[in-house]
Amino acid sequence: MKKEKVYILKSPAKVNLGLWITGKRPDGYHEIYTVFHTVSFHDRIVIKPSVSQKVETTSPFIKPEENIVTKALKRFEEWTGIHPEFEIFIEKNIPIEAGLGGGSSNAATVLQFLNSYYSFPLSDEELKKLALLLGADVPFFLKGGIAIGEGIGEKLTYLDKKLKKKIFIIYPNIQIKTSEIYSKITPQMLTKREDIHIIDSLLGETDTFFEKIENTLGMIVEENFPEVKEVLNTLRHLNYRPLVSGSGSSVFAVGAPKEELRKICKIKGWKLIETVLE
């Protein structure tokens, strides 16, 4: 009896190295300018050919029918006419609703796998369009690395470099809905595209880049979520320059965590993730 191959895939998290709101669109969505960067920290996805379709995760918060991967399988079938029959198990290490793109990454990783498994029925461009239907961050994860994101984050300019910096992420064990943060944006918070002076420092001396980055959404999160504010203030007190990733709730900083910080995280019950930009 033939033993079917089991596929094990890494599904990376991302951080936003800066995020600015540049405008509001007629459809209610906001235009952003951000720098995405994948990190080594990842979910693990196990895919096994089967006679049926099943998606499971280790997270108690994700119902199988609501999982973005289940939606990705459905969209793939709609676009290609191929019914993918796999048992998919996702070992969730990336916290959900934490600004780290875990769900988007899972969807992109599975879409890429399906397209390759079935001998590329979709072109790269079609795959990007399908990915965007699942979420604004999903197209970025089809390639990963470092990219400037504009529009709602889907207009991507990939950069031919990776920053390879050690960072650490603190997750304060609260989930934040992206829509809630975006709903609190006021016209005063908008930044003109020409006033964002980070690209020269990103392409040249990356240390000055890390001094210039900021996150407009992070300011909203800090004002509205005392748990995140406490993490930010703790890191500032320890002389780090912390930033919220995306719309939170995770906070990251460049460098390694000091012993004092490790102890604080343990006492507070914060999840401390040491990783690398890659």
Side-chain angles (χ1 to χ4, degrees):
M1 188 176 171
K2 186 184 170 187
K3 191 177 178 184
E4 287 285 8
K5 185 173 179 181
V6 175
Y7 301 86
I8 298 172
L9 311 174
K10 287 181 181 178
S11 176
K14 61 84 182 160
V15 289
N16 294 79
L17 301 176
L19 193 155
W20 293 261
I21 313 298
T22 56
K24 189 166 184 181
R25 307 185 338 171
D27 62 7
Y29 283 97
H30 286 85
E31 298 271 335
I32 67 169
Y33 185 97
T34 189
V35 180
F36 295 112
H37 206 309
T38 43
V39 299
S40 58
F41 181 61
H42 60 274
D43 286 342
R44 187 169 168 270
I45 303 181
V46 181
I47 301 180
K48 195 165 87 175
S50 177
V51 292
S52 60
Q53 197 179 94
K54 188 156 87 172
V55 178
E56 292 182 315
T57 80
T58 53
S59 172
F61 303 108
I62 308 169
K63 294 176 184 170
E65 66 276 11
E66 291 171 10
N67 193 318
I68 192 171
V69 170
T70 304
K71 294 170 186 173
L73 292 169
K74 191 178 175 194
R75 287 286 188 185
F76 184 83
E77 182 171 359
E78 286 168 2
W79 280 50
T80 63
I82 298 165
H83 179 65
E85 293 188 327
F86 297 97
E87 285 179 16
I88 299 175
F89 180 76
I90 306 166
E91 186 184 286
K92 288 299 293 178
N93 301 310
I94 304 168
I96 60 174
E97 292 183 341
L100 300 174
S104 296
S105 175
N106 295 166
T109 301
V110 169
L111 278 178
Q112 274 192 314
F113 167 81
L114 293 175
N115 204 39
S116 170
Y117 186 89
Y118 291 111
S119 304
F120 303 98
L122 299 174
S123 67
D124 286 351
E125 206 48 50
E126 287 169 327
L127 203 60
K128 277 182 210 160
K129 285 178 183 171
L130 191 162
L132 183 58
L133 294 174
L134 295 165
D137 290 353
V138 182
F140 164 69
F141 282 106
L142 292 172
K143 186 174 178 183
I146 183 169
I148 295 161
E150 297 181 82
I152 58 171
E154 88 291 4
K155 293 176 186 167
L156 297 165
T157 307
Y158 286 93
L159 304 181
D160 190 23
K161 67 185 297 181
K162 289 178 186 178
L163 299 184
K164 293 286 181 188
K165 288 262 186 190
K166 277 187 181 180
I167 68 164
F168 62 88
I169 299 164
I170 294 177
Y171 172 62
N173 284 311
I174 61 159
Q175 296 171 17
I176 297 178
K177 291 204 175 296
T178 302
S179 55
E180 183 184 344
I181 302 305
Y182 273 98
S183 71
K184 295 181 188 298
I185 294 169
T186 63
Q188 294 74 31
M189 293 176 184
L190 303 182
T191 305
K192 288 182 182 171
R193 169 71 177 77
E194 58 271 23
D195 290 340
I196 303 169
H197 303 294
I198 60 161
I199 292 309
D200 292 343
S201 57
L202 176 58
L203 297 174
E205 183 49 63
T206 53
D207 286 338
T208 58
F209 166 75
F210 283 105
E211 287 163 18
K212 290 179 181 179
I213 54 179
E214 53 192 32
N215 180 352
T216 307
L217 296 181
M219 295 170 200
I220 299 170
V221 173
E222 184 170 2
E223 282 173 21
N224 290 276
F225 290 89
E227 301 94 333
V228 177
K229 187 171 189 168
E230 187 181 6
V231 175
L232 289 164
N233 285 339
T234 300
L235 289 172
R236 288 169 188 144
H237 175 71
L238 294 171
N239 296 317
Y240 291 103
R241 192 176 185 275
L243 278 168
V244 171
S245 181
S247 56
S249 60
S250 289
V251 173
F252 72 93
V254 175
K258 298 170 183 171
E259 197 53 44
E260 188 181 349
L261 180 59
R262 291 180 193 277
K263 287 174 184 170
I264 292 168
C265 288
K266 212 167 184 179
I267 292 162
K268 296 283 186 185
W270 298 339
K271 185 180 173 78
L272 175 63
I273 301 156
E274 293 180 68
T275 186
V276 179
L277 297 170
E278 66 171 35

